[in-house]
Amino acid sequence: RLRVPIIVRLGERGLSVREVLALVPGSIIDLDKPAEDEIELLVNNRPIATGTAVKIGENFGIRLSAVGNARERLEAARG
């Protein structure tokens, strides 16, 4: 019954404070990761799996292609 936060990380990019302050609705941030590369699933900010982005109706999801072992997943869930 323990609930843990999960994050799907598409990519990362560093921005200067000036660039962050210039963000407005409609801004596009170019990520340094090819669209066909796998994305990461994190639990408590710790990677536990990788997969590909999928569209489910009007929502996005992740189809897992590799998952860490049970011990790694448990340790991530504990924080």
Side-chain angles (χ1 to χ4, degrees):
R1 298 189 189 273
L2 177 65
R3 297 182 62 85
V4 295
I6 65 165
I7 297 169
V8 176
R9 181 168 38 201
L10 299 172
E12 294 183 37
R13 173 155 190 157
L15 296 176
S16 68
V17 173
R18 176 175 290 181
E19 291 170 313
V20 171
L21 294 175
L23 293 173
V24 296
S27 294
I28 295 175
I29 300 171
D30 185 25
L31 301 174
D32 61 351
K33 187 171 189 170
E36 64 276 359
D37 279 6
E38 292 205 329
I39 55 180
E40 290 181 294
L41 176 68
L42 294 90
V43 172
N44 283 329
N45 287 320
R46 297 172 80 177
I48 64 151
T50 60
T52 54
V54 294
K55 185 175 179 189
I56 305 168
E58 294 301 314
N59 298 316
F60 283 107
I62 180 173
R63 176 178 291 123
L64 301 179
S65 55
V67 180
N69 65 45
R71 182 181 192 146
E72 292 170 335
R73 290 181 276 156
L74 181 58
E75 287 175 3
R78 290 183 178 164

